[in-house]
């Protein structure tokens, strides 16, 4: 499909620079396959679901993956986006034209890395010196990697250390938050339990590639960056049982959805999965694992807007986003939410 079909005009003042407080006070647009949209709040979620439905969360934890350093006199910025092994990560590099294979970069705090190889997509493999895991080094030298549409308007600060982590964050490795789950609070989870709504966990370490623009003119020519994910056998079995009894599996966030769809076969059975996924979901895709999606509002012409258009239909999502803009919903990572029930 033509990428420009997924374009829309977003007033820049609707880009949220801070989250709603409390988190579950954020607005939520509820959209079915047809009919009017409902303007609700995230805290209304228990009453919008049916007892026996299950929400699926991503328990990844954002690491301070942005680094500022020097190669000689040249300033080098790096955003780690995918772990290769204990000492090596792939990274998007700012001022990369000043970097050559074999160069050493000093990131401060005693953290050093070798620029091993430039990859075909322009990113670099960085090999970190020493014996400590890279995650330990990042605690000394790294900063929280806010999305570019926020970082371009303000620097990260102490509030972002908690604002940009979900309450479920446990498995270190993401360089971007699974933002749909930022809206959840202990109080909301208690209300969901009281209503009989269950929840399950999986892991997808979100990479910085999630923010990259689609430069191709046709979706067939866009290559997704791979991200590592996992869902275990017991979780898969419980989710299959939910659907077998006639209840719904609702993915909280496109990251959870992508793991579930990577783990499901054509028979709509979810199986254990562990490894890289570069699944790219566009209109025409047949969903196998989920019955709904809770997600924030996404960028024009982004792979995530293509995903929600695959779930609900492009025309329906253009209508939903036009409604959200007219009603001044807040967009992107710190913005409001939507509940999509096809």
């Amino acid at each position: 499909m033509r990428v420009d079909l997924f374009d829309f005009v977003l007033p820049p003042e609707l880009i949220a620079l801070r989250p709603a407080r409390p988190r579950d006070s954020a607005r939520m647009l509820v959209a079915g396959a047809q009919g009017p949209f409902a303007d609700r709040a995230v805290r209304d979620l228990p009453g919008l679901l049916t007892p026996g439905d299950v929400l699926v969360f991503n328990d990844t934890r954002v690491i301070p993956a942005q680094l500022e350093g020097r190669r000689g006199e040249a300033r080098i910025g790096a955003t780690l986006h995918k772990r290769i092994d204990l000492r090596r990560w792939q990274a998007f590099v700012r001022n990369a034209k000043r970097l050559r294979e074999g160069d050493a970069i000093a990131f401060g705090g005693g953290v050093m890395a070798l620029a091993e190889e430039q990859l075909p997509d322009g990113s670099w493999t960085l090999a970190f010196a020493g014996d400590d895991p890279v995650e330990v080094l990042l605690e000394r030298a790294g900063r929280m990697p806010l999305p570019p549409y926020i970082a371009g308007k303000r620097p990260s600060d102490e509030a972002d250390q908690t604002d940009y982590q979900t309450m479920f964050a446990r498995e270190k490795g993401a360089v971007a938050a699974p933002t749909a789950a930022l809206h959840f609070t202990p109080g909301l989870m208690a209300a969901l339990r009281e209503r009989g709504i269950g929840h399950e966990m999986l892991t997808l370490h979100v990479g910085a590639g999630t923010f990259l623009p689609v430069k191709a003119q046709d979706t067939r020519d866009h290559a997704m960056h791979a991200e590592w994910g996992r869902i275990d056998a017991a979780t898969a079995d419980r989710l299959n049982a939910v659907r077998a009894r006639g209840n719904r599996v609702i993915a909280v966030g496109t990251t959870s959805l992508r793991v579930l769809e990577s783990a499901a076969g054509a028979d709509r059975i979810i199986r254990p999965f562990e490894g890289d996924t570069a699944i790219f979901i566009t209109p025409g895709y047949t969903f196998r694992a989920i019955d709904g999606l809770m997600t924030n509002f996404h960028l024009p012409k982004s792979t995530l807007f293509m995903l929600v258009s695959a779930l609900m239909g492009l025309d329906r999502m253009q209508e939903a986003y036009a409604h959200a803009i007219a009603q001044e919903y807040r967009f992107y990572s710190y913005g409001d939410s939507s509940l999509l029930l096809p």
Side-chain angles (χ1 to χ4, degrees):
M1 295 182 70
R2 296 200 330 267
V3 170
D4 61 8
L5 293 174
F6 300 92
D7 199 9
F8 58 89
V9 177
L10 179 70
E13 62 269 19
L14 296 185
I15 299 173
L17 301 183
R18 298 284 183 184
R21 302 189 193 283
R23 294 186 182 209
D24 57 7
S25 68
R27 299 169 71 192
M28 185 168 68
L29 176 63
V30 183
Q34 56 188 5
F37 302 111
D39 299 307
R40 306 294 291 269
V42 170
R43 61 167 61 107
D44 297 329
L45 183 61
L48 298 169
L49 300 178
T50 302
D53 290 345
V54 170
L55 297 166
V56 183
F57 296 96
N58 182 1
D59 66 1
T60 191
R61 185 173 185 84
V62 182
I63 59 176
Q66 279 193 336
L67 296 162
E68 296 291 335
R70 288 187 175 275
R71 186 214 43 90
E73 295 301 316
R75 297 180 65 88
I76 302 293
T79 300
L80 308 188
H81 76 92
K82 188 172 186 294
R83 185 207 315 263
I84 300 173
D85 55 34
L86 187 66
R87 314 255 15 102
R88 295 155 69 238
W89 278 71
Q90 290 181 25
F92 296 114
V93 173
R94 191 178 70 252
N95 206 14
K97 65 180 182 294
R98 304 294 298 274
L99 203 57
R100 299 290 182 270
E101 293 184 2
D103 284 349
I105 310 169
F107 287 118
V111 177
M112 300 285 296
L114 189 71
E116 279 194 339
E117 178 187 9
Q118 187 167 27
L119 304 174
D121 64 358
S123 64
W124 281 81
T125 299
L126 300 183
F128 287 82
D131 298 320
D132 291 330
V134 175
E135 288 83 355
V136 173
L137 301 179
L138 294 177
E139 295 296 335
R140 299 210 304 260
R143 293 185 293 109
M144 189 65 79
L146 286 181
Y149 42 78
I150 297 176
K153 296 188 176 184
R154 66 167 182 84
S156 61
D157 57 27
E158 187 173 345
D160 294 307
Q161 304 303 311
T162 53
D163 285 347
Y164 203 55
Q165 298 281 15
T166 74
M167 65 173 287
F168 312 104
R170 182 180 61 190
E171 301 290 337
K172 293 182 179 180
V175 301
T179 55
L182 292 177
H183 301 294
F184 285 79
T185 64
L188 177 56
M189 293 303 295
L192 287 162
R193 285 193 298 271
E194 185 175 348
R195 172 74 170 157
I197 310 300
H199 72 275
E200 297 287 352
M201 297 289 170
L202 49 72
T203 304
L204 181 84
H205 290 324
V206 192
T210 190
F211 302 123
L212 292 181
V214 177
K215 296 181 179 179
Q217 295 183 341
D218 194 285
T219 57
R220 293 172 297 184
D221 300 322
H222 177 69
M224 291 284 285
H225 281 81
E227 297 166 312
W228 184 90
R230 177 180 61 211
I231 181 171
D232 62 37
T235 302
D237 288 345
R238 290 192 296 269
L239 292 174
N240 290 325
V242 168
R243 303 183 88 192
R245 67 174 183 250
N247 285 106
R248 295 175 295 184
V249 171
I250 309 293
V252 179
T254 57
T255 62
S256 296
L257 183 151
R258 292 178 67 235
V259 174
L260 291 168
E261 292 297 320
S262 298
D267 56 3
R268 294 171 57 84
I269 300 298
I270 302 168
R271 295 175 174 82
F273 176 89
E274 182 171 353
D276 287 350
T277 178
I279 189 171
F280 182 22
I281 296 174
T282 60
Y285 177 85
T286 299
F287 287 85
R288 301 170 173 180
I290 62 102
D291 306 293
L293 171 66
M294 183 176 170
T295 186
N296 288 17
F297 294 96
H298 304 295
L299 281 71
K301 297 196 291 187
S302 64
T303 60
L304 301 183
F305 185 63
M306 294 171 191
L307 184 154
V308 296
S309 297
L311 180 65
M312 303 298 293
L314 177 56
D315 290 344
R316 183 64 168 164
M317 288 315 299
Q318 291 282 16
E319 292 172 359
Y321 274 50
H323 176 91
I325 290 169
Q327 297 299 315
E328 298 185 342
Y329 277 73
R330 301 164 74 245
F331 272 62
Y332 304 163
S333 295
Y334 277 155
D336 293 320
S337 188
S338 66
L339 179 63
L340 308 179
L341 300 172

